[in-house]
Amino acid sequence: MDLDESGSVGGFFVLRTTAPETGGAHRPLARLYAGDDEPLHARVDLVTARIGAPERRVGASVAHLGLAARLWSAALGPAALHGRFPALDPAELHWDGALASPDDLWWAGSETRPATVDEIRAAVQEAHLVPLHAALRRDGHISPRLLWGNAGSALAGALRELTRWAHAHGRPEAAARAADLVSGLLDHPDLAGTVRGPRLRRASCCLYYRCPGGGLCGDCVFDHAPRTGLEGRPPAP
């Protein structure tokens, strides 16, 4: 399995197989999920300060969106391009929230899994996102609906990036495989309805618009930021 090719899709798709030369305090994500919350608290603090978030849950949402995108991309890229993906066992996937992608993650494992909806769901959604959401709720008040909305948006974003790359590089079969996988992944009670329509526009908001100069994300549920006074306008489909 060629992780270099999937990494060429973009920084979120890169998965280091050795500790980054930049150094860092990488720890297995399994430790975070087991209750070692300090690295996640520090990441939320960092993002909250960096974006000038008016409250902690906004920073937590943005931090979560980035990590969810990394996890989906690390699986979806190789799955679509090669038919297999890294197992991403939380005990073997090391993370340092002080570093930006692609240096934030490195994988110490060697096992791969077949590119099926069930395998990716087990490796990413069940093994990572479910315990990550629990850890974020330990950090502070943040709704499950927002977190799953972020997860759906991150998955749709990974599909968009991979589709653009695949068509630009003459790999239409990879784009088709990615679309099939994402369609299946979104057909789950936790993710169903989080994005909608052919553009996979999200059905909830990540709250980034509340930051100074934040504006709206490309797939935002809103046509106008709520603080403009146009809150009564229904979101576009």
Side-chain angles (χ1 to χ4, degrees), residues 23-95:
H26 292 80
R27 306 182 193 185
L29 280 166
R31 287 176 53 182
L32 186 154
Y33 304 152
D36 181 8
D37 293 332
E38 188 277 330
L40 186 61
H41 293 333
R43 177 62 181 174
V44 173
D45 287 341
L46 177 65
V47 173
T48 299
R50 182 176 292 164
I51 64 177
E55 59 178 306
R56 187 173 179 78
R57 71 187 181 109
V58 178
S61 173
V62 174
H64 168 258
L65 187 56
L67 183 51
R70 286 288 277 134
L71 293 166
W72 283 127
S73 300
L76 187 64
L81 291 170
H82 305 296
R84 298 192 71 84
F85 67 97
L88 302 179
D89 187 314
E92 298 175 334
L93 191 60
H94 298 249
W95 178 70

Side-chain angles (χ1 to χ4, degrees), residues 20-234:
E21 294 180 2
T22 53
H26 292 80
R27 306 182 193 185
L29 280 166
R31 287 176 53 182
L32 186 154
Y33 304 152
D36 181 8
D37 293 332
E38 188 277 330
L40 186 61
H41 293 333
R43 177 62 181 174
V44 173
D45 287 341
L46 177 65
V47 173
T48 299
R50 182 176 292 164
I51 64 177
E55 59 178 306
R56 187 173 179 78
R57 71 187 181 109
V58 178
S61 173
V62 174
H64 168 258
L65 187 56
L67 183 51
R70 286 288 277 134
L71 293 166
W72 283 127
S73 300
L76 187 64
L81 291 170
H82 305 296
R84 298 192 71 84
F85 67 97
L88 302 179
D89 187 314
E92 298 175 334
L93 191 60
H94 298 249
W95 178 70
D96 181 0
L99 300 178
S101 64
D103 291 332
D104 56 337
L105 284 182
W106 66 277
W107 178 50
S110 59
E111 181 184 353
T112 64
R113 304 174 75 158
T116 68
V117 170
D118 287 344
E119 290 286 344
I120 296 176
R121 178 176 292 133
V124 178
Q125 182 176 340
E126 296 172 6
H128 286 281
L129 295 182
V130 169
L132 176 61
H133 293 185
L136 281 161
R137 290 196 296 273
R138 292 194 300 269
D139 179 80
H141 176 69
I142 188 165
S143 77
R145 181 173 182 269
L146 186 154
L147 293 174
W148 285 115
N150 282 353
S153 174
L155 178 58
L159 174 62
R160 290 188 196 95
E161 289 300 309
L162 189 50
T163 300
R164 279 194 286 265
W165 183 95
H167 287 309
H169 290 79
R171 297 289 304 275
E173 81 291 349
R177 186 182 295 124
D180 286 343
L181 290 169
V182 170
S183 177
L185 289 164
L186 289 171
D187 188 22
H188 181 277
D190 289 332
L191 292 168
T194 56
V195 295
R196 61 191 180 189
R199 294 174 54 201
L200 297 179
R201 186 170 178 176
R202 66 179 295 161
S204 63
C205 179
C206 71
L207 306 178
Y208 179 63
Y209 78 90
R210 299 190 58 201
C211 300
L216 301 180
C217 302
D219 66 342
C220 186
V221 65
F222 295 118
D223 288 322
H224 303 277
R227 61 186 172 195
T228 64
L230 297 176
E231 296 93 324
R233 178 174 176 174

